[in-house]
Amino acid sequence: MRADARRNYERIIECARQAFTEHGPDAPLDDIARRACVGAGTLYRHFPNRDALIEAVYRARIEHLAGLAYELAETMEPMAALEQWLRDQVAYVLSEHSLALTLKSSMDQTSETFTMCRTMMTDAAAALLTPAQQAGLVRADLEPHDLIRLGHGIATACETAPDVAPRLLSVAVNGLRPVQE
C-alpha cells in the first residue's frame, strides 16, 4: 500500500473506532469518512461494506494489544513483561470494553477475522508465558488463554470500580507464581 493510502486507511480505522464508540456499529459511514478527511469512495475502496470496517477496527485493536506482548517480551525480563502486558490488557478492556462488545456482537464468531484475532492473542500470551515458565517464575500448569481470561476477568469485574483493578491484578499475579512446597 502506498504511504498516502496507508495513512488514509489508518485514519479511517481510528475515526471508525471513535464513531463506533460514540454511536455503536450503526454509526454513519459518511460521518466516518468526513471525520477521516477522505471521500466516501476512499472509504469504500478500503472497506467495501460496514462489516469489513467493523472487522478491521476490531482487528486493529487486537493487533495493537498482541504487538505489545512481543515488544515487552523483547525488552523486559519475563515476569516484568508478563505483568506489564496483563496491566495493558486490563487497561484496554476497561477503556474499550463496550466498544469491543459492540464489535464482537456485530461479527460472526466463526469468521476468519475473529478466529485470527483469537489466535493472535493466544500466541501473544504464549510469547510471554513460555519464557516466564521456563525461568520457573510462574506455574507450569498455566496456559496462554489463562492469561487472557485473567486480564479480561479482572477488567470486567472492575468495570464499575476501575481503581480496584491494579490491586486485584497484583493479587492475581502473585497467584501465578509457583507454589512453594
Side-chain angles (χ1 to χ4, degrees), residues 67-77 81-82 84-85 88 128:
L68 285 173
Y70 294 106
E71 182 180 316
L72 293 169
E74 290 178 13
T75 60
M76 298 175 83
E77 295 298 319
L82 190 146
Q84 181 59 52
W85 189 69
D88 292 339
L128 295 165

Side-chain angles (χ1 to χ4, degrees), residues 2-168:
R2 292 185 339 246
D4 60 333
R6 182 56 146 163
R7 281 191 301 273
N8 286 343
Y9 179 89
E10 290 169 357
R11 215 170 35 247
I12 292 167
I13 293 286
E14 179 55 26
C15 291
R17 185 191 66 74
Q18 293 169 5
F20 293 151
T21 299
E22 294 168 16
H23 306 290
D26 295 326
L29 296 182
D30 288 340
D31 180 47
I32 293 169
R34 227 180 343 276
R35 286 179 185 222
C37 300
V38 300
T42 299
L43 185 141
Y44 285 107
R45 263 192 304 284
H46 288 292
F47 308 101
N49 56 50
R50 179 177 303 280
D51 291 343
L53 182 56
I54 288 170
E55 286 189 8
V57 170
Y58 183 73
R59 186 174 49 249
R61 301 310 297 153
I62 296 301
E63 285 172 351
H64 175 72
L65 190 56
L68 285 173
Y70 294 106
E71 182 180 316
L72 293 169
E74 290 178 13
T75 60
M76 298 175 83
E77 295 298 319
M79 194 63 192
L82 190 146
E83 288 181 46
Q84 181 59 52
W85 189 69
L86 284 171
R87 278 193 294 277
D88 292 339
Q89 181 191 7
V90 168
Y92 164 74
V93 174
L94 281 171
S95 68
E96 299 202 18
H97 181 70
S98 61
L99 174 64
L101 286 177
T102 298
L103 296 177
K104 284 171 77 171
S105 69
S106 299
M107 289 173 46
D108 176 3
Q109 303 290 309
T110 61
S111 73
E112 181 181 327
T113 296
F114 197 79
T115 301
M116 180 191 70
C117 288
R118 187 175 324 130
T119 300
M120 199 181 315
M121 284 295 288
T122 302
D123 291 349
L128 295 165
L129 180 60
T130 301
Q133 286 174 321
Q134 290 172 342
L137 301 171
V138 298
R139 300 166 51 134
D141 64 338
L142 290 172
E143 297 176 6
H145 207 75
D146 294 336
L147 296 181
I148 298 165
R149 286 185 184 113
L150 181 64
H152 186 78
I154 289 171
T156 301
C158 295
E159 192 171 18
T160 59
D163 55 318
V164 176
R167 182 170 43 87
L168 289 182

